[in-house]
Amino acid sequence: METERILLSNKNFLIKDALDKIDIALEDLNLEPKDTLHVRLIAEETLGMFSAMAGEYNGLVWFETKKDECHVMLVSKTEMDIEKKKEIMSVSRTGENTLAKGFMGKIADIIENGFLNYDNIMKLQQQYGGGYVDYAALGGSPSERDFFSWSLEQYKDALQDVMESDDAAGSAWDELEKSIVARLADDVTVGVKKDEVDMNICVKLTGK
């Protein structure tokens, strides 16, 4: 089942208005109470990330249920100004977006850099505590020349492989554990191509 698509824009974007529409959409899905709460919490954290992103965005969010899964789907286009992003980065002595704290902040930064320049994604490094983790490359892969895909499941596997030898990776894992999306979602996939992003958050339904 697919719900009605909800229009998003961070021009005069109000999370409350979008969440009111999301509540109606979730009622239509007839999920059990615990599953409904989990999906709504994920949607709320995702919308918070969306509204905080730099540049002007227009998008759609909707829900799809398949067997024992619910998918939070988000498609967005941007009018991101590369000069605006450079200005954001220039305030940091390292040239990195140190404002992108938290797991969802990292996803937002991957998306923004993917919109601007595909090559930047593969070179991007984000500071975690006293070290660096190339979080775009961990869990990410170039599927074709101008397309980048990233997966939470692959990211977790990659972090676990290096955590014992890399303190920064351990800090990154701590951030995952604090994120509602990372804890409740079975997987998150992000695809970036030119000025479009497709985001799919898969939630395993408990039937409770």
Side-chain angles (χ1 to χ4, degrees):
M1 177 180 177
E2 180 178 315
T3 64
E4 183 178 348
R5 300 187 178 201
I6 301 164
L7 179 65
L8 302 174
S9 172
N10 66 351
K11 283 183 177 179
N12 303 319
F13 180 62
L14 296 176
I15 292 180
K16 183 182 182 303
D17 291 345
L19 285 175
D20 287 344
K21 295 175 182 177
I22 282 171
D23 286 337
I24 294 172
L26 289 176
E27 286 180 10
D28 292 339
L29 289 180
N30 293 316
L31 301 179
E32 295 300 323
K34 185 176 181 179
D35 288 330
T36 298
L37 176 61
H38 285 179
V39 174
R40 191 187 189 281
L41 288 171
I42 286 173
E44 185 171 0
E45 186 167 303
T46 304
L47 292 186
M49 174 204 74
F50 180 84
S51 66
M53 289 173 70
E56 295 179 355
Y57 293 84
N58 292 296
L60 296 168
V61 63
W62 70 97
F63 304 96
E64 294 180 8
T65 52
K66 301 173 183 178
K67 295 183 179 179
D68 61 344
E69 297 177 349
C70 181
H71 293 258
V72 182
M73 313 290 294
L74 189 146
V75 176
S76 177
K77 294 194 72 171
T78 181
E79 298 174 11
M80 181 70 178
D81 183 345
I82 191 166
E83 295 305 320
K84 184 177 292 186
K85 183 66 177 185
K86 285 180 178 177
E87 183 180 343
I88 292 172
M89 302 293 273
S90 70
V91 301
S92 168
R93 293 194 316 184
T94 62
E96 293 159 357
N97 187 2
T98 55
L99 297 177
K101 298 300 183 184
F103 170 65
M104 295 304 282
K106 303 303 185 294
I107 291 183
D109 209 35
I110 288 173
I111 292 171
E112 288 180 356
N113 282 277
F115 280 143
L116 295 178
N117 184 335
Y118 168 78
D119 291 334
N120 283 348
I121 304 177
M122 299 308 293
K123 296 175 183 176
L124 185 64
Q125 286 188 322
Q126 174 64 47
Q127 185 174 11
Y128 290 95
Y132 293 92
V133 173
D134 188 345
Y135 65 94
L138 291 179
S141 61
S143 301
E144 56 184 81
R145 178 178 174 83
D146 295 321
F147 181 77
F148 179 83
S149 62
W150 181 92
S151 163
L152 171 62
E153 184 177 12
Q154 293 175 4
Y155 179 57
K156 285 180 174 179
D157 289 344
L159 281 181
Q160 286 179 326
D161 288 343
V162 298
M163 265 200 306
E164 289 187 7
S165 59
D166 192 330
D167 291 340
S171 297
W173 187 266
D174 289 342
E175 280 193 327
L176 281 179
E177 293 185 332
K178 294 175 184 175
S179 166
I180 292 171
V181 170
R183 282 190 288 111
L184 298 182
D186 187 58
D187 196 11
V188 179
T189 57
V190 178
V192 180
K193 185 173 183 178
K194 295 182 179 178
D195 64 345
E196 296 184 8
V197 59
D198 291 283
M199 190 170 181
N200 180 343
I201 304 175
C202 175
V203 185
K204 290 286 188 183
L205 299 176
T206 64
K208 298 179 181 177

